Amino acid sequence: MRVVAFLLALLPAASAQITCNPGAVWNGQACAPCPPGTRWFSGGQPCHPCEPGSYSASLGSLDCSPCPQGSTSDAGASQCYPINNGGGGGGGGGGDD
């Protein structure tokens, strides 16, 4: 009987929902910030990837920012890249030679 009472005493603690601060989600062990390229979504949902044309560069982003004019990004981007206006296809941009 003592074992049953002990187990019943644990039920509320075991079923309690963990709430993380905005920008972080529960990963099963701790509250972890949303990684770059994602944004926080309320309600304990997993972090959502940024939409194409937007980015988040830091941990724990609450929103994705639109890419600056003349640049774009793929879904889940942590940075934007220049739009290739030469008609040669997309890509991650390039450096100066």
Side-chain angles (χ1 to χ4, degrees), residues 20-25 34 38-48 60-63:
C20 299
N21 289 331
V25 295
C34 291
T38 65
R39 66 177 177 86
W40 180 73
F41 195 79
S42 65
Q45 303 269 335
C47 301
H48 288 257
S61 292
L62 301 182
D63 292 305

Side-chain angles (χ1 to χ4, degrees), residues 3-35:
V3 171
V4 172
F6 174 76
L7 292 175
L8 288 175
L10 291 178
L11 281 178
S15 64
Q17 184 176 15
I18 300 198
T19 303
C20 299
N21 289 331
V25 295
W26 182 252
N27 68 9
Q29 298 177 347
C31 289
C34 291

Side-chain angles (χ1 to χ4, degrees), residues 23 33-39 50 55-63 77-79:
C34 291
T38 65
R39 66 177 177 86
C50 293
Y55 72 102
S56 69
S58 59
L59 288 171
S61 292
L62 301 182
D63 292 305
S78 60
Q79 62 184 10

Side-chain angles (χ1 to χ4, degrees), residues 43-91:
Q45 303 269 335
C47 301
H48 288 257
C50 293
E51 297 289 326
S54 66
Y55 72 102
S56 69
S58 59
L59 288 171
S61 292
L62 301 182
D63 292 305
C64 298
S65 301
C67 290
Q69 186 173 353
S71 65
T72 191
S73 69
D74 298 321
S78 60
Q79 62 184 10
C80 299
Y81 56 85
I83 295 173
N84 181 354
N85 289 326

